[in-house]
Amino acid sequence: MSILASSASPVLLFATGASKGLGKAIAVSFAKAFQKKKITKAQAVLMARSCMDDTENLMVQEHNALQICQRRLDLADLNTLEPKFQDIWTQFPPSSATHALLINCAGTTGTVGPTSHLTLTEIEKATRLNLVSKLWVSSRFAQTYSPVCATTTIANISSMCSIKATPTMALYCATSAGRDIFHQVLAQDDDNNNLRVLNYAPGSCDTDMQSFLRTHDSLDSHVQAYCQSLETDQKLVDPNETADELVRRLLDQDFESGQRIEYTDVSTYKY
Amino acid sequence: MGMQMLLIVTGASKGLGKAITTGFCCMDSSEQQRQQLDRLHVVLAARSANLLEELGRTIMHHNESTKVRVTLSCFAVDLSDLDQLDSHFDRMFQEVNLSGFDRVVFVNNAGSLGYLGPCSSSPSLTGMKATIDFNVTSALWLSSRFAQLVQENSNPDTQKVTLINISSLLAVEAFPTMGIYAAGKAARDNYHATMAKEMPRIKVLNYAPGPLETDMVEEIRAAPKLDKSLKPAFDKKLIDPQDSAKKLVDLVFSDKFESGSHVDYYDISS
């Protein structure tokens, strides 16, 4: 069922990592799409560690009747994760929406450097945020919303690194791969057939993450040369464009549940 | 002088870990001669001191009548305890001089199933963290520390170093109700594949041993929320772990695999 089929059905959107970069672009793309399709009853819950005023302002410019709520939280802090999400789900219960969507975007590259130099603290930090926290959020979201809402959709923001072993980015590669397959299983587990899951690799986006990699001391030299060439050859992906594509697919439900979609053609990447 | 070999196995006390250990340590004389095995030092880690001791006796008894000099160090440790992990690793390796061996084989095997059931009803956050910490955080750290040890102490010209990550079909193919196990295995595979690209001096293998008759599969069979479609696959006689271990041992000695690759028991022709 396309989420756009009935513009009067309430839509509830949860977006993590919403303060900047791709997360911000996705939130804004939703606002644009809701406005274009005249979806009048939409609530957006934006989540990030830092202030999301920028995101909220851009969204309001696109759609002035959206209800937008900011929730500052650190997904890496497992001590506060459960109570914070319980609060959010109580305030925005499944009964309040026909369609519920989660964009699980927040994440970390993890420490960049050779596996032989990584510390236990660095490994634990990456697995805590990129695996434990994100898998828990997806599971609980599915558990809370899919029994009630007509459609429940999860987008796991993936990466080329989940399918391509990339020297000095082992933590990102490992955790991305783990997340991808978990979400494939999540799609298979669904008994109700109203939970749909998409693994979306957005391409190498022109965001802080890419500029971080371009200038990083410990990134493998070939990988770095590749990242730098993306900038010089103007091949970086505009986060707004890839966000628009993701949003279109989600609202049209234009994907197979459990599918992995790469915005750009991965086979051309060589380093 | 023949081949001096160092073997390290985690989760060695039962199941596949035990089978791999005996696969390397209790080879028949003709196989030992073929490999020109002269000396074998074995470092084993598992939680049960009793089971490790028993395994140690089996190994020493077998080699009483062979020409191989075998020495053994067993460590009853809980590798899921992140706070103790470094000191466990230090103890395991403090007396081992890597440069004294022609062949070094590290088998990163210890692991658990985690919750079996629909991802959307996964239990507590604490449970998820414990499963990920044991199967991913701890396992990746052990491999990284081993890699560092190799980098500092091994001679790439004269030594063959092999690191085996015990993988699973679940690392590359999704099956319902096995989400957290699949996530852990997929993460481990990709980490080890990346390590292989970084360190040509270590031959890294992601070995998926096939569905085995072990305690782990009993756990799967007894899981109340295992997807019904999977039951037929497990409700039958499965592979003897010793068979799978034999294939792995042969593969390691033959070196016939690409470093960083995922190899499944069923990929290997008999």
Side-chain angles (χ1 to χ4, degrees):
Chain A
M1 178 203 294
S2 162
I3 292 171
L4 306 173
S6 165
S7 56
S9 302
V11 179
L12 184 49
L13 169 71
F14 297 96
T16 69
S19 59
K20 54 180 186 161
L22 183 64
K24 175 173 165 184
I26 291 170
V28 176
S29 286
F30 268 110
K32 265 192 302 188
F34 290 154
Q35 173 67 16
K36 195 165 170 200
K37 299 295 177 181
K38 301 192 183 2
I39 291 179
T40 50
K41 295 183 191 156
Q43 293 178 98
V45 182
L46 308 178
M47 291 167 273
R49 280 172 305 176
S50 39
C51 180
M52 292 155 274
D53 284 349
D54 249 3
T55 309
E56 182 165 348
N57 291 337
L58 288 171
M59 289 174 80
V60 164
Q61 280 173 38
E62 299 289 346
H63 189 320
N64 59 12
L66 264 181
Q67 280 182 54
I68 300 169
C69 174
Q70 292 187 32
R71 279 278 185 271
R72 301 272 292 266
L73 52 81
D74 183 357
L75 289 171
D77 181 356
L78 300 188
N79 295 323
T80 58
L81 200 64
E82 285 194 85
K84 290 212 167 178
F85 270 93
Q86 203 40 66
D87 250 356
I88 291 171
W89 290 329
T90 304
Q91 195 185 349
F92 300 95
S95 54
S96 65
T98 305
H99 306 287
L101 299 109
L102 167 69
I103 314 304
N104 212 337
C105 185
T108 175
T109 56
T111 302
V112 173
T115 50
S116 55
H117 292 171
L118 294 174
T119 67
L120 179 55
T121 309
E122 288 166 338
I123 297 174
E124 191 275 338
K125 205 166 155 186
T127 60
R128 182 169 16 107
L129 173 55
N130 285 353
L131 281 178
V132 183
S133 175
K134 293 191 70 165
L135 300 191
W136 184 85
V137 170
S138 284
S139 315
R140 282 302 163 93
F141 173 77
Q143 189 177 30
T144 308
Y145 292 88
S146 79
V148 180
C149 302
T151 72
T152 303
T153 310
I154 299 176
N156 165 51
I157 300 303
S158 177
S159 163
M160 184 177 72
C161 284
S162 76
I163 57 173
K164 193 173 168 65
T166 308
T168 67
M169 292 196 67
L171 289 175
Y172 195 53
C173 290
T175 56
S176 298
R179 269 209 320 282
D180 272 17
I181 203 162
F182 184 87
H183 284 88
Q184 281 179 49
V185 174
L186 189 56
Q188 290 184 8
D189 281 345
D190 172 49
D191 287 333
N192 305 325
N193 296 314
N194 59 355
L195 170 68
R196 304 187 75 246
V197 183
L198 172 62
N199 283 324
Y200 184 76
S204 301
C205 297
D206 192 2
T207 61
D208 286 354
M209 190 179 268
Q210 273 297 318
S211 56
F212 166 74
L213 291 173
R214 275 196 300 275
T215 55
H216 201 293
D217 284 339
S218 304
L219 184 65
D220 176 86
S221 56
H222 291 115
V223 179
Q224 191 156 59
Y226 167 76
C227 291
Q228 285 165 353
S229 74
L230 287 176
E231 191 189 29
T232 37
D233 298 347
Q234 294 179 319
K235 288 199 171 140
L236 285 171
V237 171
D238 178 343
N240 298 311
E241 284 180 15
T242 190
D244 284 347
E245 171 64 9
L246 171 63
V247 167
R248 181 194 70 74
R249 286 200 179 257
L250 293 174
L251 294 181
D252 286 346
Q253 298 276 288
D254 180 16
F255 60 95
E256 299 288 326
S257 189
Q259 188 181 0
R260 184 176 185 284
I261 292 175
E262 284 269 354
Y263 180 73
T264 45
D265 178 14
V266 167
S267 64
T268 61
Y269 293 0
K270 280 180 175 43
Y271 43 69
Chain B
M1 197 160 159
M3 201 240 294
Q4 323 276 302
M5 178 168 159
L6 170 64
L7 172 71
I8 310 120
V9 184
T10 68
S13 61
K14 48 183 188 158
L16 181 65
K18 178 176 172 182
I20 291 172
T21 305
T22 54
F24 278 109
C25 299
C26 302
M27 292 188 291
D28 62 38
S29 294
S30 58
E31 186 57 29
Q32 286 173 343
Q33 270 171 34
R34 219 159 63 85
Q35 300 302 335
Q36 297 179 301
L37 189 58
D38 183 39
R39 178 167 91 97
L40 177 59
H41 182 63
V42 193
V43 176
L44 303 178
R47 279 171 304 175
S48 164
N50 288 341
L51 291 178
L52 281 175
E53 241 176 274
E54 197 184 303
L55 178 57
R57 281 197 292 274
T58 304
I59 294 169
M60 298 309 283
H61 179 71
H62 173 89
N63 286 291
E64 273 166 15
S65 52
T66 71
K67 296 193 172 131
V68 181
R69 287 173 297 142
V70 180
T71 47
L72 196 61
S73 293
C74 293
F75 297 90
V77 292
D78 180 359
L79 296 173
S80 69
D81 183 352
L82 297 189
D83 291 333
Q84 299 298 322
L85 209 53
D86 271 334
S87 70
H88 290 330
F89 191 91
D90 286 340
R91 279 171 55 218
M92 283 163 64
F93 284 92
Q94 69 187 7
E95 285 154 27
V96 175
N97 181 1
L98 234 63
S99 56
F101 298 93
D102 303 304
R103 221 185 222 290
V104 180
V105 178
F106 177 47
V107 185
N108 197 334
N109 165 72
S112 65
L113 280 168
Y115 173 74
L116 292 174
C119 297
S120 62
S121 68
S122 304
S124 63
L125 181 56
T126 328
M128 259 183 145
K129 174 115 179 51
T131 304
I132 297 283
D133 273 348
F134 181 33
N135 291 287
V136 186
T137 314
S138 170
L140 301 194
W141 176 230
L142 289 173
S143 285
S144 282
R145 278 215 65 181
F146 174 72
Q148 188 181 40
L149 206 65
V150 168
Q151 202 157 52
E152 290 165 4
N153 296 291
S154 85
N155 185 338
D157 298 324
T158 60
Q159 288 179 302
K160 288 190 173 176
V161 181
T162 311
L163 166 52
I164 298 151
N165 162 48
I166 296 304
S167 179
S168 166
L169 179 59
L170 269 289
V172 297
E173 196 173 327
F175 291 97
T177 67
M178 299 190 76
I180 196 93
Y181 185 68
K185 289 306 192 189
R188 288 165 67 132
D189 259 31
N190 214 356
Y191 192 85
H192 288 91
T194 303
M195 184 182 280
K197 283 194 169 172
E198 291 168 357
M199 295 188 71
R201 73 164 77 182
I202 302 181
K203 261 202 113 170
V204 182
L205 174 64
N206 290 320
Y207 179 64
L212 308 173
E213 278 299 339
T214 59
D215 285 356
M216 192 176 264
V217 90
E218 289 300 344
E219 218 184 303
I220 295 175
R221 286 172 179 142
K225 292 189 180 169
L226 183 76
D227 194 86
K228 292 184 178 55
S229 69
L230 299 181
K231 282 192 167 295
F234 292 110
D235 282 346
K236 61 181 187 188
K237 192 87 171 52
L238 299 174
I239 301 166
D240 183 337
Q242 289 188 348
D243 279 346
S244 190
K246 175 94 182 41
K247 285 206 168 170
L248 176 62
V249 170
D250 289 345
L251 195 57
V252 169
F253 283 136
S254 72
D255 262 333
K256 284 187 182 151
F257 62 93
E258 204 182 302
S259 189
S261 63
H262 174 99
V263 175
D264 191 282
Y265 170 85
Y266 289 114
D267 293 338
I268 306 169
S269 51
S270 335

